[in-house]
C-alpha cells in the first residue's frame, strides 16, 4: 500500500471513529439530560436528520398490511430463503407435510446481501414484540392471536438505484418467489370418490423421466412438448384457445402408462386429479368436478374404454337418457367444450388398452393433441430398466437379449419382474434370457398346434 493510500485509509478510519464517538456522546448526553418521555422524539428527529444527508434509501416491508398478511412480505421471505449466502450467520429451518424438503428462512437480526443488475442491496430482518395498551388495539389483538412479535424486512440500497429496485427488482422477487413456492410444494393426488376432497394425499411416486423405461425418442418428444405447453400461455391467448393439452396413452397393460403419468407430474410439479368415471353420476356432476380442479394440474382418466360403456353420439341421440348418466357427449364437452375454459394450465391424460374401441371424436386434436403408443419392451427401454434395477450400463448379454426383444412381445413390467429376482447382474440377465427364450418357444408351440388343427 502506498503512503497516499495509507493516509486515505487512516482518514476513513478516523472519520468513522469520530462519527461513532459523536453518536455515543449524543446518546449519553440524551440519557443524562433529556426526560425519558422525550427521548424517543429526539432520537427519531436525529435519525430523520441523518437520513436527509445519507446516500442510502430504505424500504420497510412489514409482515401485516393492517389485519391482513402482506403478500410482498411473504414473497420476500420465500425469495431470501433461496439466496442465503456467506453474509448470513444463522437461518431458520422448517418443514410441513405440504413441503417437499426443508424450508429455509432468514432469522431475525440477520443480514443478506444480494446483487441485481449490478445493484447491491442489503436485507435485514427486524423483530419487535407486540405491546398491548397502545393505539389500534383491536388490530394488534388480531395479530397477537397469530404471533407474538411483528416482523419487518428492511431493504437498503443507494438512492440512485431507487427506480431499478421498485420497478424491476421487487417485481422480480414476486415472480421468483412464486416459482420457488411451486418447486418446493409437495405434489397432491386427488380422487373424485369424495369430490376431490380438501387436502388430497401427497404423491410419493418416485418415477421421473430419468428412470422411466420407454422408447428414448418418445421420451424426448414428450419432454419438449411439455416444455412448449408450460411456456405457451401467451400463445394460447393469441390463438383463442384454452390453455390445456390432451395426451392419449395407448398400449397393452404393463407398458408403463401409469408410470409415465407420475413422471409427468414430478417433472412439472403438477397435482394429479384421478377421475373415476364409475363414480360420476351425471354430466352435470362431471362439470362440477371440472370446476373443482386447480390450475397447474393433470386430469387423469385411466382405462376409459373399460370404466363405463360410452355409446357413440348417434346411439345417444336414438336413446332417451333415462338414468341421467354420463354420456360420450358429456365427456367431449368436459374435455373441449365451453366449460373446459374455466381454468388454465391443465393437462388431460386419457389411457386405454385398445385405441380402436374409442370414438373418433374423442381422439381428434384439441381433445387428445398427442397420441403416445406405449409399446412392448425394446432395447432402449430394456437398458433403462437394467440401469434402474442393476445399476449397470453395459453387459455382454445386452446384444443377445436385445435381439430376442425384437422377436417377442414382452412388457416392461414383465422384464422388470425378471430383473428383480437377483441383484447379481449376470444371474439376473441370464434369468431374463431364459424367460425370453421360453416365451418364443411357447409361441412356436402354440403356432404349431394351430397349424395342425387348421
Amino acid at each position: 500500500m502506498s503512503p497516499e493510500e495509507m493516509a486515505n485509509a487512516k482518514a476513513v478510519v478516523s472519520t468513522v471513529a469520530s462519527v461513532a464517538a459523536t453518536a455515543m456522546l449524543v446518546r449519553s448526553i440524551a440519557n443524562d439530560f433529556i426526560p425519558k418521555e422525550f427521548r424517543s422524539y429526539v432520537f427519531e428527529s436525529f435519525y430523520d436528520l441523518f437520513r436527509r444527508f445519507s446516500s442510502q434509501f430504505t424500504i420497510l416491508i412489514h409482515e401485516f398490511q393492517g389485519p391482513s398478511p402482506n403478500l410482498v412480505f411473504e414473497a420476500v421471505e420465500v425469495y431470501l430463503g433461496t439466496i442465503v449466502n456467506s453474509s448470513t450467520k444463522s437461518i431458520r429451518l422448517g418443514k410441513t407435510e405440504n413441503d417437499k424438503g426443508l424450508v429455509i428462512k432468514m432469522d431475525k437480526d440477520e443480514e443478506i446481501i444480494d446483487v441485481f443488475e449490478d445493484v447491491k442491496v442489503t436485507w435485514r430482518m427486524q423483530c419487535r414484540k407486540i405491546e398491548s395498551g397502545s393505539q389500534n388495539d383491536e388490530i394488534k389483538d388480531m395479530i397477537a392471536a397469530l404471533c407474538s412479535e411483528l416482523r419487518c424486512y428492511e431493504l437498503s440500497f443507494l438512492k440512485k438505484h431507487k427506480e431499478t429496485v421498485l420497478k424491476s427488482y421487487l417485481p422480480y422477487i414476486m415472480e421468483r418467489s412464486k416459482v420457488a413456492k411451486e418447486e418446493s410444494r409437495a405434489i397432491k393426488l386427488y380422487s373424485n370418490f369424495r369430490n376431490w376432497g380438501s387436502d388430497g394425499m401427497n404423491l410419493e411416486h418416485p418415477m421421473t423421466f430419468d428412470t422411466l423405461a420407454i422408447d428414448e425418442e418418445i421420451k424426448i418428444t414428450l419432454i419438449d412438448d411439455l416444455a412448449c405447453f408450460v411456456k405457451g400461455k401467451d400463445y394460447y391467448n393469441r390463438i383463442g384457445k384454452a390453455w390445456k393439452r390432451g395426451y392419449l396413452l395407448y398400449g397393452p397393460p404393463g407398458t408403463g402408462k401409469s408410470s409415465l403419468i407420475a413422471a409427468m407430474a414430478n417433472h412439472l410439479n403438477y397435482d394429479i386429479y384421478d377421475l373415476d368415471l364409475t363414480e360420476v353420476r351425471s354430466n352435470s356432476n362431471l362439470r362440477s368436478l371440472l370446476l373443482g380442479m386447480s390450475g397447474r394440474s393433470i386430469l387423469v382418466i385411466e382405462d376409459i374404454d373399460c370404466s363405463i360403456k360410452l355409446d357413440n353420439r348417434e346411439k345417444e341421440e336414438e336413446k332417451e337418457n333415462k338414468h341421467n348418466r354420463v354420456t360420450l357427449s358429456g365427456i367431449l364437452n368436459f374435455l373441449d367444450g365451453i366449460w373446459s375454459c374455466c381454468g388454465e394450465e391443465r393437462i388431460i391424460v386419457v389411457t386405454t388398452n385398445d385405441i380402436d374401441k374409442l370414438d373418433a371424436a374423442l381422439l381428434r386434436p384439441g381433445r387428445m393433441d398427442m397420441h403416445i403408443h406405449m409399446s412392448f419392451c425394446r432395447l432402449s427401454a430394456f437398458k433403462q430398466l437394467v440401469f434402474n434395477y442393476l445399476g449397470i450400463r453395459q453387459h455382454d448379454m445386452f446384444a443377445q437379449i436385445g435381439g430376442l426383444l425384437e422377436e417377442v412381445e414382452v412388457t416392461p413390467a414383465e422384464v422388470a419382474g425378471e430383473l428383480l429376482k437377483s441383484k447379481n447382474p449376470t444371474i439376473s440377465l441370464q434369468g431374463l434370457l431364459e424367460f425370453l427364450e421360453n416365451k418364443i418357444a411357447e409361441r412356436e408351440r402354440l403356432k404349431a398346434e394351430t397349424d395342425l388343427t387348421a
Side-chain angles (χ1 to χ4, degrees):
M1 182 181 293
S2 66
E4 183 178 352
E5 290 176 333
M6 182 70 74
N8 290 336
K10 288 181 178 179
V12 171
V13 172
S14 177
T15 301
V16 171
S18 177
V19 170
T22 302
M24 292 177 62
L25 178 62
V26 169
R27 179 175 290 275
S28 177
I29 293 174
N31 289 336
D32 291 338
F33 297 101
I34 299 177
K36 184 177 181 181
E37 55 269 23
F38 295 113
R39 288 177 193 167
S40 177
Y41 173 77
V42 172
F43 287 144
E44 288 180 4
S45 299
F46 183 79
Y47 180 66
D48 288 340
L49 181 64
F50 176 77
R51 283 195 306 172
R52 287 176 181 271
F53 294 98
S54 173
S55 61
Q56 289 289 111
F57 191 86
T58 301
I59 296 176
L60 300 179
I61 303 172
H62 294 277
E63 186 172 6
F64 291 91
Q65 188 80 1
S68 303
N70 185 350
L71 298 182
V72 180
F73 181 93
E74 293 179 358
V76 169
E77 186 170 51
V78 172
Y79 172 73
L80 292 180
T82 67
I83 63 165
V84 169
N85 51 40
S86 58
S87 63
T88 309
K89 295 182 177 62
S90 66
I91 58 174
R92 289 185 294 132
L93 283 179
K95 188 181 186 301
T96 68
E97 63 177 12
N98 292 325
D99 298 318
K100 277 185 177 179
L102 296 176
V103 176
I104 300 174
K105 294 184 179 180
M106 187 178 182
D107 201 6
K108 63 181 180 180
D109 300 324
E110 273 299 330
E111 180 179 284
I112 291 179
I113 296 173
D114 193 19
V115 177
F116 175 80
E117 295 182 357
D118 296 327
V119 176
K120 181 180 177 180
V121 301
T122 302
W123 289 96
R124 294 183 182 86
M125 163 69 82
Q126 298 179 353
C127 294
R128 178 166 58 88
K129 293 290 184 182
I130 297 178
E131 299 176 1
S132 59
S134 57
Q135 59 180 355
N136 297 325
D137 284 339
E138 184 177 349
I139 292 178
K140 288 195 173 184
D141 288 342
M142 294 172 63
I143 296 174
L146 300 174
C147 54
S148 60
E149 60 184 12
L150 291 174
R151 297 183 298 163
C152 174
Y153 283 112
E154 180 184 284
L155 172 61
S156 301
F157 50 89
L158 293 176
K159 284 181 180 178
K160 64 181 181 179
H161 299 311
K162 179 180 176 182
E163 186 172 353
T164 300
V165 171
L166 291 175
K167 294 185 178 181
S168 299
Y169 181 53
L170 291 177
Y172 164 78
I173 287 177
M174 298 296 290
E175 185 61 31
R176 184 67 188 88
S177 68
K178 179 181 177 182
V179 173
K181 280 195 289 188
E182 285 296 327
E183 290 175 348
S184 63
R185 181 181 62 86
I187 300 172
K188 293 289 186 178
L189 174 62
Y190 299 91
S191 169
N192 64 305
F193 178 70
R194 296 183 181 274
N195 289 327
W196 302 140
S198 56
D199 297 326
M201 300 178 61
N202 285 355
L203 180 69
E204 304 292 348
H205 203 300
M207 182 60 68
T208 67
F209 279 120
D210 289 335
T211 55
L212 183 66
I214 63 172
D215 183 83
E216 193 65 23
E217 289 186 10
I218 293 177
K219 185 189 298 188
I220 293 172
T221 300
L222 177 57
I223 291 174
D224 290 342
D225 193 76
L226 290 172
C228 290
F229 169 76
V230 170
K231 299 174 183 177
K233 182 176 183 178
D234 293 339
Y235 171 76
Y236 280 87
N237 286 337
R238 190 172 72 251
I239 64 176
K241 289 179 63 68
W243 189 13
K244 63 181 183 62
R245 190 130 178 100
Y247 297 91
L248 175 70
L249 312 183
Y250 67 99
T255 50
K257 293 186 287 292
S258 297
S259 294
L260 175 54
I261 294 169
M264 292 171 67
N266 286 325
H267 180 71
L268 299 172
N269 215 66
Y270 281 14
D271 292 331
I272 292 179
Y273 288 80
D274 183 25
L275 179 62
D276 182 357
L277 290 176
T278 62
E279 294 292 332
V280 183
R281 301 307 174 196
S282 65
N283 290 335
S284 60
N285 184 204
L286 196 60
R287 288 194 295 270
S288 297
L289 290 170
L290 177 65
L291 294 175
M293 290 176 57
S294 67
R296 296 179 58 83
S297 59
I298 300 175
L299 174 69
V300 177
I301 308 176
E302 290 198 273
D303 299 323
I304 193 171
D305 55 310
C306 303
S307 55
I308 61 174
K309 180 175 175 55
L310 294 174
D311 293 325
N312 62 41
R313 287 172 296 174
E314 288 75 15
K315 289 184 178 180
E316 284 180 10
E317 292 171 359
E318 296 172 2
K319 293 181 179 181
E320 182 182 357
N321 191 12
K322 296 179 179 179
H323 303 291
N324 197 30
R325 59 181 176 78
V326 178
T327 64
L328 177 60
S329 294
I331 295 287
L332 298 181
N333 287 330
F334 177 79
L335 297 177
D336 194 36
I338 191 67
W339 289 97
S340 69
C341 300
C342 300
E344 60 179 18
E345 200 170 353
R346 288 176 179 162
I347 287 175
I348 300 165
V349 179
V350 172
T351 75
T352 180
N353 295 334
D354 190 350
I355 191 173
D356 295 329
K357 291 183 179 180
L358 302 184
D359 190 286
L362 182 65
L363 304 178
R364 72 163 176 79
R367 289 174 181 141
M368 296 295 105
D369 302 289
M370 187 174 179
H371 297 185
I372 301 174
H373 182 208
M374 306 295 290
S375 64
F376 292 104
C377 190
R378 294 295 180 258
L379 185 59
S380 63
F382 159 71
K383 287 184 175 181
Q384 182 62 60
L385 286 170
V386 171
F387 180 74
N388 292 346
Y389 287 89
L390 303 177
I392 61 173
R393 292 288 188 188
Q394 193 55 259
H395 195 278
D396 292 341
M397 279 187 269
F398 274 16
Q400 187 178 1
I401 291 175
L404 293 177
L405 288 173
E406 294 295 328
E407 297 182 34
V408 64
E409 293 182 345
V410 58
T411 66
E414 290 177 297
V415 172
E418 293 300 314
L419 294 177
L420 272 172
K421 293 181 178 180
S422 175
K423 293 182 179 179
N424 183 297
T426 300
I427 295 175
S428 183
L429 292 175
Q430 184 62 43
L432 175 60
L433 188 64
E434 293 173 2
F435 171 79
L436 296 175
E437 289 174 340
N438 290 336
K439 274 262 188 181
I440 294 175
E442 178 67 13
R443 183 189 65 190
E444 295 300 322
R445 184 184 66 78
L446 292 174
K447 184 177 180 299
E449 290 179 356
T450 302
D451 291 341
L452 286 175
T453 58

